[in-house]
């Protein structure tokens, strides 16, 4: 049989992974912001409109500038998602 070896993630090499862990720990609307910003940026990257490092910078800026809602309603979640996507398009 084959063995699998797991290592701690390299957050230096994968900064978006670190942001995802942090957003998950913060909870509330932080994961919504991360997801919406990342999705818009990935599409822009695939269309050749931004560089790979722009994804990191944009997601980080959106998380830093977001006023966290700790226990959001479903409507607040949708509202935050629309706000992020609308601003970044």
């Amino acid at each position: 049989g084959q063995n699998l070896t797991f290592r701690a993630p390299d957050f230096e090499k994968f900064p978006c992974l670190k942001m995802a862990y942090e957003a998950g720990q913060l909870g509330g609307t932080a994961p919504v912001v991360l997801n919406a910003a990342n999705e818009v940026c990935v599409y822009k990257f695939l269309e050749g409109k931004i560089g790979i490092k722009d994804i990191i910078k944009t997601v980080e800026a959106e998380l830093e500038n977001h006023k966290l809602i700790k226990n959001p309603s479903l409507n607040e979640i949708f509202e935050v998602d629309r706000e992020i996507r609308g601003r970044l398009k």
Side-chain angles (χ1 to χ4, degrees):
Q2 294 187 358
N3 295 325
L4 294 176
T5 303
F6 294 93
R7 295 187 187 115
D10 184 343
F11 292 136
E12 292 282 322
K13 191 181 262 186
F14 303 104
C16 282
L17 181 60
K18 181 180 180 190
M19 284 187 275
Y21 272 98
E22 290 170 350
Q25 289 173 335
L26 277 173
T29 49
V32 178
V33 172
L34 178 124
N35 182 66
N38 185 65
E39 283 188 7
V40 171
C41 288
V42 167
Y43 285 120
K44 284 182 165 184
F45 171 74
L46 293 174
E47 293 171 348
K49 295 179 178 176
I50 64 172
I52 192 80
K53 290 185 180 182
D54 295 319
I55 297 172
I56 299 164
K57 291 176 192 171
T58 303
V59 172
E60 186 174 48
E62 290 298 321
L63 284 168
E64 286 177 4
N65 294 320
H66 177 66
K67 184 174 180 188
L68 182 72
I69 302 171
K70 196 65 180 159
N71 296 301
S73 68
L74 189 54
N75 284 339
E76 288 172 317
I77 290 170
F78 288 137
E79 186 178 316
V80 168
D81 184 79
R82 277 191 302 271
E83 175 190 326
I84 300 299
R85 290 174 191 274
R87 181 172 43 254
L88 296 180
K89 279 191 172 182

